[in-house]
Amino acid sequence: MSLRVRLLLLGLTGVAVALAVGSVVLYGTLTFAVHRTLDDNARTTAADIVQLVRENGTVDPLPVSGAQIVQVVDARGRVVTASANADRLVPLLRGDERRAARTGEAVTVPGSRSALAGPLRVVAEPLGGATVLVGVPVGDVQNAQDVLRTTLLVTYPVLLLVLALIAWWLIGRTLRPVESLRAGAARISGQNRSERLPVPASADEVHDLATTLNDMLDRLAAARARQQEFIADAAHELRSPLASMRTQLEVAEHLGEGGGLPADLLQDVARLGALVDDLLVLARLDATERPDAVAEPFDLRSLAVGLTQGYAGARVPVTVAPGAPVLVRAAADEVRRVVTNLVDNAVRHASTRVLLTCSVEGQHGALSVTDDGPGIPAGQRERVFARFVRLDDARSREAGGTGLGLAIARELARRSGGEVTLDAPPAGSAVGRAEESSAGPVEESAAGLVATVRLPR
């Protein structure tokens, strides 16, 4: 559940419990107060009747106020005297009820004992061996209690619903700056490194959080800029001595000096030169301010055919599968570098051949580079796009790569709105058939590799 929902449920649960407890306490307090008032008035009347009888003897009828009903009942339960509105034959309380009332308890009995529709609440006051009974009709009180109870039960869920709507709106309004921070953080990517999080105007914790995060982003940007400058400067400064070393080694090899050492060193110098070039490319790609890629339409298959001419002397043949032109819209020079990196990687690891295939996939044009080398396990295919990552078994350091080719290829493809992925050759393909054994096809992760660049059309 979202934070908004959790806060709403937490607050609504607390309010619901508080309202329920408050409603019960209100209902109980009002009921207790009304009953106590009625009982106190009835006991006052009973005390007055006791005083009247003691002073004047039996009075008939007994004086009462309001709707009260008064009886004087002897020890045998007979009505001795009563008020004008009381029954003179049937006492309000019977034996056990009368004994309970003489202890101070208020007893509720049916109103039919006094020809009333509603119940009676009766209190008693001892008068020698007799008992003074005072009854008060509580039908109207019970009706009021029922109305109060019904009102509370009906308004309780309605009030909760209204409070839930208000709380939902208030929580959403309160969390709106947090959502702005989240959206701003999502926008701050490799293409928007200079953007900063929106700082709300309110001087609260969210304002402090946004300010702190922006300060952190500034520090990260400064550290990243220093790192990029170092890489670019180091790579640039290494170019000149590497070129000088390469020239001297080529001269020494041409003159036959040093035996086979110049040839061996030339390979290492070439690898260092390739690494320096790749570092310079990455430094330009990582730059905070860099020119956008200039997209132009071109034929992806023609680009692939042109590239294969540079691999005529490669260790394995590089061919392009026949097919129709595939038009894409991207930066042609950068796409050429992407395909070159993929082909170089395939040539280093292929066993017998490298095949380039162009196709149309919906709104994208695709160029696939397939090799029949050892392949890459499915769980490692995304990892090799990280910088300076090589797999120890299938793709080793001795193969001559810098560990940056795939990272550069993906970055350049994304600049043009495309993507680079790695997959196993499909079952039944030429590479897949070449990898079959007597026991059947080998596992997908060990049947070569297909590197595919997809670009918008």
Side-chain angles (χ1 to χ4, degrees):
M1 291 186 293
S2 66
L3 178 61
R4 188 178 188 181
V5 174
R6 294 202 303 271
L7 288 175
L8 177 64
L9 291 178
L10 181 63
L12 200 61
T13 300
V15 171
V17 172
L19 285 177
V21 173
S23 299
V24 172
V25 171
L26 174 64
Y27 181 81
T29 301
L30 289 177
T31 301
F32 174 79
V34 170
H35 285 171
R36 182 168 183 175
T37 300
L38 294 175
D39 295 344
D40 289 345
N41 292 335
R43 287 192 176 93
T44 300
T45 300
D48 292 342
I49 296 299
V50 169
Q51 184 68 22
L52 178 65
V53 171
R54 285 177 177 173
E55 292 178 355
N56 303 303
T58 302
V59 179
D60 191 14
L62 296 172
V64 294
S65 62
Q68 291 179 342
I69 300 172
V70 180
Q71 291 177 334
V72 177
V73 182
D74 63 13
R76 300 174 61 182
R78 295 176 300 181
V79 177
V80 176
T81 182
S83 61
N85 58 348
D87 192 324
R88 295 175 175 272
L89 297 177
V90 179
L92 294 177
L93 297 181
R94 293 164 184 171
D96 294 338
E97 297 171 342
R98 192 163 57 251
R99 284 189 290 273
R102 285 172 65 93
T103 63
E105 179 182 349
V107 180
T108 301
V109 298
S112 58
R113 296 184 184 180
S114 189
L116 295 176
L120 286 172
R121 189 172 179 87
V122 183
V123 299
E125 188 73 22
L127 180 59
T131 305
V132 177
L133 302 179
V134 179
V136 180
V138 292
D140 292 341
V141 174
Q142 287 192 345
N143 290 336
Q145 290 176 337
D146 294 340
V147 171
L148 176 61
R149 183 171 57 250
T150 303
T151 301
L152 291 175
L153 291 176
V154 171
T155 57
Y156 181 78
V158 175
L159 183 59
L160 280 182
L161 178 60
V162 173
L163 290 176
L165 294 177
I166 295 175
W168 180 263
W169 179 79
L170 286 176
I171 294 173
R173 186 178 179 86
T174 303
L175 293 179
R176 193 175 301 164
V178 179
E179 174 60 22
S180 299
L181 291 179
R182 187 206 61 78
R187 289 193 302 269
I188 300 175
S189 61
Q191 304 297 327
N192 300 293
R193 294 176 191 149
S194 60
E195 185 177 351
R196 290 296 176 262
L197 299 174
V199 179
S202 58
D204 54 12
E205 291 81 357
V206 179
H207 177 277
D208 296 339
L209 174 63
T211 303
T212 303
L213 290 177
N214 281 335
D215 292 341
M216 181 189 68
L217 289 174
D218 290 337
R219 293 193 298 271
L220 291 176
R224 187 181 183 90
R226 290 193 297 269
Q227 182 185 31
Q228 293 168 359
E229 291 174 1
F230 170 77
I231 293 175
D233 293 343
H236 182 75
E237 294 299 327
L238 285 173
R239 273 187 153 185
S240 296
L242 284 175
S244 176
M245 292 171 60
R246 183 169 185 172
T247 300
Q248 295 180 41
L249 288 172
E250 288 176 347
V251 170
E253 184 181 28
H254 179 73
L255 297 177
E257 298 177 356
L261 181 61
D264 295 335
L265 292 177
L266 275 173
Q267 294 181 4
D268 293 334
V269 170
R271 289 184 60 190
L272 284 174
L275 178 60
V276 168
D277 291 340
D278 287 346
L279 288 175
L280 284 173
V281 172
L282 286 176
R284 288 194 293 270
L285 290 175
D286 289 340
T288 302
E289 296 183 0
R290 64 189 184 203
D292 296 331
V294 180
E296 56 184 357
F298 64 91
D299 179 16
L300 194 58
R301 188 174 186 280
S302 297
L303 183 145
V305 172
L307 284 177
T308 57
Q309 297 175 2
Y311 292 91
R315 55 179 292 273
V316 294
V318 179
T319 58
V320 179
V326 177
L327 294 179
V328 295
R329 187 174 184 83
D333 292 339
E334 295 185 358
V335 174
R336 185 176 291 105
R337 178 62 183 267
V338 172
V339 179
T340 299
N341 285 5
L342 297 181
V343 174
D344 287 345
N345 190 70
V347 167
R348 282 194 296 270
H349 305 290
S351 298
T352 61
R353 61 178 297 190
V354 174
L355 178 65
L356 278 63
T357 306
C358 297
S359 61
V360 175
E361 298 180 359
Q363 299 299 319
H364 292 80
L367 190 154
S368 298
V369 180
T370 305
D371 68 71
D372 58 353
I376 296 177
Q380 299 288 334
R381 290 174 192 157
E382 190 63 25
R383 178 171 168 261
V384 296
F385 285 104
R387 299 175 183 184
F388 297 106
V389 170
R390 297 183 183 88
L391 302 184
D392 294 334
D393 47 2
R395 311 266 165 166
S396 63
R397 292 182 180 271
E398 285 70 20
T402 64
L404 296 174
L406 291 177
I408 292 174
R410 172 166 280 185
E411 289 288 338
L412 290 175
R414 287 178 173 174
R415 267 173 56 84
S416 294
E419 186 57 273
V420 177
T421 58
L422 298 180
D423 299 286
S429 65
V431 174
R433 288 194 299 269
E435 293 294 325
E436 292 182 358
S437 66
S438 59
V442 296
E443 187 179 348
E444 178 189 80
S445 62
L449 191 69
V450 180
T452 304
V453 54
R454 295 176 177 85
L455 300 166
R457 299 178 62 196

